[in-house]
Amino acid sequence: MSQDIVQWLIDHYGQEQFQPGLTRMKRALEFVHFELQNKTIITIAGTNGKGETTLRLSSLLQKKTFCTWISPHIERITERFVSEEGEISLSELETLIFECHEKVKQEKYELSFYEFLFFVFCHWAHQKSPEFLLLEVGLGGRLDAVNVFDADIVLLPSISRDHQEFLGNRYDKILGEKLALLRPTTTLISFLDLHYLRERTESLVNTVGAKHLDLNTVYQTKNWDFSRRNQLLARAAFSSLEGNKPKESVEIETLALEHRGEVLNLGREWIFFGSHNPDGLRKLIQFLHSGNYTFTRPPFDRVIVSFSRRDPRDLKVMVRMLKLSGLGKITLTSFPHPKAASSEVMESLASQEGLDFAQNIESYVHGKNEGPCLVLGSYYFMGHMQFLIRGKR
């Protein structure tokens, strides 16, 4: 079972915590680095929108051969390993994990949970030898494991404040962490909101000597919502890989996105959207009120929310946004995970804003209400809720 292998990984590599630095990863990947570096590498960075942009581009590349690294997973650990054939099978992944673990022990590599899984991914990609590697940054960029590879294309959908203890609390510092992925041979494709960030990006790109395509210059008169911007970013990357310029006029799909915007119909309609920081939640609320999707419009019968641990000020801002969002009746809850905000914190926030708090969210999952339910917050919470709804991993 997927959960069994996750527990095995935790037992051997610890909880998934960010451990900045590239030295460990460079040493561990010496045996595959040269061959993988010769692939066309697309690295996806940014505060919000990485997951959607990555999966949109993977979808566009279905007629090519590729391996995609995604982090974190929501329900199944196999979600992190995707090729043109789909997710890796659990049996194949388990075999790779145990083979790579033996190599780690033999060579005495010191890797974190995240680094070890990326090590496994690179081993898998080395075996498959695809044309393209799509690498989603886990956190930041400069010191994330994926930065051991020189990217041919870097995609940057957004910059906002998140993980401030590692990246700083100023937009220019956060942007600098992301753009440390650039090399003189890299093409950056960005779609940033703030004019200040666009100017700063241009300056940093020129300093590195990289190329830059700012999609704001292509779509000057359009006020795209965040999901459409992510899709246009993915399409621009695909056009670049094909040797073409992005089209100024393009049809926009409205299909919900697997894992990052998944819809389950199991007794009732369950709609999942990860939104783990204030800027991401603000954009999501705008998106849900725009009607640019295929599922039920707000207000929903119920909106169930829980967050990971983060700055209490951010949590308060997000809960206040939800209270004023018009999405539906808000219920806050907690969930069992090392990175989850505590039950006490979530209950206190609910009390402060006059919102419902569910000590045991399973009562809502298996209750009699049949209207559509929106589930928001931490990606880890998305996985927990899908486990409760499906009843299995």
Side-chain angles (χ1 to χ4, degrees):
M1 298 293 288
S2 176
Q3 187 57 25
D4 294 336
I5 195 65
V6 171
Q7 187 57 56
W8 184 92
L9 288 165
I10 291 171
D11 292 342
H12 287 82
Y13 293 93
Q15 295 286 350
E16 187 168 10
Q17 304 285 348
F18 181 57
Q19 296 185 19
L22 299 179
T23 303
R24 297 179 300 275
M25 207 74 255
K26 286 180 178 178
R27 177 172 177 257
L29 292 178
E30 284 179 345
F31 79 109
V32 296
H33 189 276
F34 178 77
E35 182 174 334
L36 292 182
Q37 185 60 67
N38 286 331
K39 309 299 180 184
T40 300
I41 297 175
I42 305 97
T43 301
I44 303 91
T47 311
N48 299 302
K50 295 192 300 288
E52 180 173 12
T53 302
T54 303
L55 291 172
R56 293 281 189 194
L57 181 54
S58 296
S59 179
L60 292 170
L61 289 171
Q62 282 303 308
K63 294 183 180 179
K64 310 288 187 179
T65 59
F66 63 88
C67 287
T68 300
W69 165 250
I70 297 172
S71 180
H73 68 277
I74 294 177
E75 187 181 11
R76 303 173 303 278
I77 192 171
T78 51
E79 294 167 21
R80 300 184 187 229
F81 299 74
V82 179
S83 74
E84 73 281 359
E85 298 171 339
E87 284 181 21
I88 191 173
S89 70
L90 183 56
S91 60
E92 183 181 2
L93 179 57
E94 287 180 339
T95 298
L96 281 167
I97 284 174
F98 295 134
E99 288 177 355
C100 289
H101 179 63
E102 289 303 313
K103 187 170 183 64
V104 166
K105 289 195 301 181
Q106 178 183 343
E107 300 295 335
K108 295 182 172 57
Y109 299 141
E110 296 182 2
L111 301 177
S112 67
F113 181 107
Y114 174 84
E115 290 169 334
F116 175 70
L117 280 179
F118 187 62
F119 176 76
V120 175
F121 169 82
C122 292
H123 188 82
W124 179 59
H126 181 258
Q127 291 180 357
K128 293 184 73 66
S129 191
E131 185 178 357
F132 300 99
L133 289 181
L134 278 62
L135 307 178
E136 180 183 333
V137 173
L139 193 157
R142 179 173 62 94
L143 298 177
D144 189 87
V146 304
N147 199 28
V148 299
F149 294 106
D150 299 336
D152 296 286
I153 295 176
V154 169
L155 302 182
L156 185 62
S158 69
I159 292 293
S160 58
R161 294 182 179 90
D162 200 7
H163 304 295
Q164 296 176 44
E165 67 275 25
F166 298 112
L167 307 180
N169 60 3
R170 286 171 38 187
Y171 281 158
D172 59 339
K173 289 187 176 181
I174 297 169
L175 180 68
E177 290 291 319
K178 313 292 186 186
L179 295 188
L181 295 162
L182 300 181
R183 312 289 195 267
T185 55
T186 303
T187 295
L188 172 69
I189 307 177
S190 64
F191 212 160
L192 302 177
D193 287 322
L194 296 179
H195 184 70
Y196 158 72
L197 286 177
R198 292 170 56 195
E199 288 187 333
R200 183 64 179 159
T201 297
E202 194 65 33
S203 174
L204 290 171
V205 168
N206 288 337
T207 299
V208 173
K211 297 178 182 178
H212 184 207
L213 173 60
D214 180 357
L215 291 187
N216 288 283
T217 64
V218 179
Y219 305 108
Q220 296 182 37
T221 61
K222 301 293 185 181
N223 185 24
W224 304 109
D225 63 59
F226 87 104
S227 186
R228 292 190 178 202
R229 292 164 75 93
N230 295 339
Q231 186 174 156
L232 289 168
L233 193 64
R235 290 194 176 205
F238 181 72
S239 295
S240 179
L241 293 171
E242 296 280 284
N244 301 318
K245 294 182 179 179
K247 297 179 181 179
E248 294 184 21
S249 177
V250 62
E251 292 293 325
I252 302 298
E253 299 171 359
T254 58
L255 296 177
L257 188 70
E258 284 189 9
H259 310 310
R260 266 49 180 186
E262 189 170 7
V263 179
L264 298 179
N265 286 287
L266 296 173
R268 67 194 296 187
E269 187 176 46
W270 296 90
I271 301 155
F272 297 85
F273 275 100
S275 43
H276 56 282
N277 58 54
D279 187 57
L281 182 58
R282 176 181 60 80
K283 290 177 179 177
L284 177 60
I285 291 169
Q286 293 172 348
F287 172 65
L288 292 173
H289 281 296
S290 73
N292 293 317
Y293 47 83
T294 59
F295 47 83
T296 306
R297 275 57 172 159
F300 301 94
D301 185 65
R302 186 171 297 274
V303 182
I304 300 176
V305 185
S306 196
F307 296 112
S308 297
R309 293 194 312 271
R310 56 181 307 119
D311 190 313
R313 292 169 296 183
D314 284 354
L315 292 174
K316 190 169 184 178
V317 166
M318 289 191 286
V319 171
R320 177 61 60 88
M321 278 196 286
L322 285 167
K323 180 180 179 180
L324 302 175
S325 67
L327 294 179
K329 187 174 182 179
I330 309 296
T331 295
L332 302 187
T333 189
S334 59
F335 64 104
H337 192 280
K339 291 189 176 183
S342 70
S343 176
E344 292 77 14
V345 166
M346 295 304 297
E347 186 171 10
S348 175
L349 287 167
S351 176
Q352 291 171 29
E353 297 297 334
L355 301 175
D356 288 347
F357 177 78
Q359 190 72 47
N360 180 7
I361 199 61
E362 285 191 66
S363 61
Y364 287 98
V365 171
H366 302 297
K368 295 181 179 179
N369 293 326
E370 296 182 355
C373 185
L374 179 65
V375 182
L376 300 179
S378 163
Y379 283 131
Y380 301 109
F381 181 56
M382 304 294 103
H384 176 68
M385 285 294 292
Q386 291 188 19
F387 167 68
L388 293 179
I389 292 164
R390 288 191 168 115
K392 60 181 180 180
R393 287 287 181 182

